[in-house]
Amino acid sequence: STPSPSLAPTSSTRGAAPPSRASPSPTPSSRAGTPTPARSPRRAPSTRPHLPVSPSSLATATSHKSTGNAHFKLGRFGDATAAYSLALDALPAQWLGRVPLLNNRAQARLRSGEEKRAAEDCAEAVRILLPTGGGGEVDLDLGALEADGAALAPEVVALYAPGGGAAPLDLKDQLGKALGRRAKALEALEKWGAARDDWERVLRCGDEAVLRGAGGAKMVGEGVARCRKVLDPPAAAASSGAGPSS
């Protein structure tokens, strides 16, 4: 969060020697002599509809999520995938709280060699995060994600920050994870054009949280370069400064 600007009080200057021309007063005042605080830009409110989740469904999803995380840490990716699937089965479609579970299951499926299913999980996550433009060549609406992140439903907070954490879910980070993991899956499936599009969308948005979620600027840049090398070898070689092979 952005801290409020600190404002020093302005003292009266009546009767005092006028300041020199080279040293103007640094603190502007309003007509009443009171400093005018700087206004931070107002964030648009979230327009995402609320989808209710019952306490029993939430408890089921929480239990399976924890089981899936434990399996993943032990390298049991098939068991992790099954547990994440059970957690997702307990939650409504298009619910924002599905996104981290979809990203987790995609990661487990990537580790198991299930690239096609991993790409499908990531595609669902992107559709939930960007319901009006997740599939086409459009700019990422990060402002809407910030608004959604600032107004998370209590059920989402309960699922990912049961102790009442201040920031249970970074939606821009989750978007980066979905796009980056889908790009990896598409590369494994040799769908180089679609993979390049995902890497480039992350790189083009230039947002630190999205880049971090996708693996960092270095990984994203390398992904773009790999895809371009396959799709257009001469252009890729020219851009890298490499000479023709003998």
Side-chain angles (χ1 to χ4, degrees):
S1 60
T2 304
S4 302
S6 61
L7 298 169
T10 306
S11 59
S12 172
T13 58
R14 288 188 179 179
S20 64
R21 292 181 180 179
S23 303
S25 174
T27 309
S29 304
S30 65
R31 291 183 180 178
T34 304
T36 303
R39 293 184 178 180
S40 58
R42 180 177 297 179
R43 179 186 287 134
S46 173
T47 59
R48 187 177 295 272
H50 177 257
L51 297 176
V53 181
S54 70
S56 61
S57 296
L58 196 61
T60 298
T62 300
S63 176
H64 290 305
K65 173 179 71 72
S66 298
T67 300
N69 291 344
H71 283 311
F72 190 93
K73 290 177 181 178
L74 293 172
R76 300 169 181 165
F77 303 121
D79 291 334
T81 295
Y84 292 139
S85 297
L86 290 172
L88 287 161
D89 288 345
L91 302 172
Q94 295 300 312
W95 188 55
L96 195 58
R98 293 176 62 87
V99 171
L101 288 166
L102 288 164
N103 279 334
N104 288 354
R105 189 170 68 177
Q107 185 75 326
R109 283 175 162 167
L110 280 172
R111 299 290 183 89
S112 300
E114 297 180 80
E115 290 87 1
K116 184 175 185 296
R117 303 294 298 277
E120 291 169 355
D121 282 342
C122 294
E124 182 181 345
V126 172
R127 285 194 299 270
I128 293 173
L129 289 167
L130 304 174
T132 60
E137 286 302 313
V138 296
D139 291 333
L140 304 179
D141 191 354
L142 301 184
L145 282 185
E146 290 175 353
D148 290 339
L152 291 173
E155 296 91 342
V156 177
V157 176
L159 182 58
Y160 295 104
L169 203 59
D170 185 336
L171 299 183
K172 293 193 292 184
D173 175 77
Q174 291 294 322
L175 177 61
K177 284 181 168 65
L179 291 172
R181 291 172 189 178
R182 183 169 66 177
K184 291 177 183 177
L186 291 170
E187 283 193 57
L189 295 169
E190 299 186 357
K191 296 185 177 182
W192 301 102
R196 178 202 57 197
D197 290 344
D198 274 345
W199 288 128
E200 288 185 341
R201 290 179 75 188
V202 173
L203 197 63
R204 190 166 58 243
C205 85
D207 183 86
E208 182 179 351
V210 178
L211 279 167
R212 182 178 64 247
K218 183 175 183 294
M219 179 177 289
V220 174
E222 290 174 349
V224 172
R226 280 194 306 273
C227 295
R228 288 178 177 175
K229 184 176 181 179
V230 173
L231 292 168
D232 193 357
S239 65
S240 64
S245 59
S246 58

